[in-house]
Amino acid sequence: MHELPEFGRNALEALRQPLEDGRLTLSRAAGTVTFPASFMLVAAMNPSPTGGFDDAAGGKCTPTAMRRYLNRISGPLLDRIDLHVEVPTIDRQLLLRSEPAEGSVAIRSRVERARASQAQRLSGWRKIHNNARMGPSEIARFCILSPACRSFLSTAISELALSARTFHRILKVARTIADLAGREELREEDLAKAIGFRSLDRRIWGE
């Protein structure tokens, strides 16, 4: 993937407000207008200008060049993205395995049950229907942490230097992971999985 042109990077940064608030405010000389802008952002990028992290070993791209390339997307924008998923090269042995994977029908059924439980839990809360739209008050109400979970998350925040916004994102993702498992209580494993979806925080801004 080539570097984004200047207008492309500015356009990405302009998504920060609608990603956070679900609305877009435009200010002009004649006045200010606010539009609804609730959407799901799905984006992809290569981990380096030449295509992969392994390129550094072959001398094609230095670690400094990779870091400079990845830092073209700001930390504040990444804070507002719930999931950072790394997609490594597929192992050839994995492709040759014959074990059947979970089917789409089963996955859809699990997702629908999780969304139904979220809608029921959040009914009456500012017209919020899913975990992604929870604010601080809903998070405090529906993401109750045990002492062990609090200790685990406190250590992670300290060691990874995570922001307050990232802290809330982790809790919302952990709540969803528990919902997919059909559980009401949050566990350390849910928090660990949610933190695992913050790979860019750790690799670029957390190192």
Side-chain angles (χ1 to χ4, degrees):
M1 183 178 71
H2 298 294
E3 292 184 356
L4 289 170
E6 191 67 33
F7 72 88
R9 292 198 302 274
N10 290 339
L12 280 176
E13 292 301 317
L15 293 175
R16 284 163 56 175
Q17 182 205 0
L19 278 172
E20 183 78 8
D21 303 328
R23 58 182 181 270
L24 176 64
T25 300
L26 299 177
S27 297
R28 297 292 185 269
T32 299
V33 180
T34 298
F35 299 96
S38 179
F39 64 98
M40 178 182 291
L41 172 68
V42 179
M45 66 182 294
N46 286 328
S48 77
T50 53
F53 277 108
D54 292 339
D55 292 340
K60 297 179 182 179
C61 183
T62 66
T64 300
M66 288 191 296
R67 185 178 294 273
R68 184 168 56 248
Y69 168 80
L70 290 167
N71 272 306
R72 295 172 74 85
I73 297 183
S74 71
L77 177 59
L78 285 173
D79 273 353
R80 290 165 169 82
I81 298 176
D82 292 332
L83 307 177
H84 310 162
V85 181
E86 256 184 78
V87 183
T89 302
I90 298 177
D91 188 335
R92 286 175 293 179
Q93 296 302 318
L94 183 62
L95 290 174
L96 296 173
R97 290 180 182 176
S98 58
E99 295 90 343
E102 185 179 17
S104 298
V105 174
I107 294 173
R108 176 175 179 172
S109 177
R110 190 168 69 252
V111 170
E112 288 177 342
R113 288 196 302 269
R115 288 185 65 88
S117 68
Q118 291 173 30
Q120 182 178 11
R121 182 188 301 124
L122 294 166
S123 60
W125 285 73
R126 297 188 301 149
K127 298 183 179 180
I128 294 173
H129 305 293
N130 57 65
N131 295 339
R133 290 300 175 190
M134 288 195 299
S137 59
E138 293 86 12
I139 291 171
R141 174 67 178 82
F142 299 116
C143 298
I144 306 299
L145 298 177
S146 67
C149 285
R150 285 184 178 277
S151 177
F152 176 83
L153 191 52
S154 176
T155 299
I157 291 171
S158 177
E159 292 185 355
L160 301 176
L162 301 176
S163 69
R165 183 174 283 109
T166 298
F167 165 75
H168 285 138
R169 298 279 175 181
I170 288 171
L171 287 176
K172 289 194 287 187
V173 172
R175 175 67 271 165
T176 299
I177 291 170
D179 289 340
L180 288 168
R183 289 185 281 97
E184 192 62 32
E185 80 283 358
L186 295 183
R187 299 178 181 176
E188 289 182 53
E189 63 194 71
D190 302 324
L191 295 170
K193 287 180 181 179
I195 292 169
F197 287 125
R198 306 296 307 183
S199 59
L200 286 176
D201 290 331
R202 299 196 309 278
R203 176 162 287 177
I204 307 305
W205 289 269
E207 290 183 347

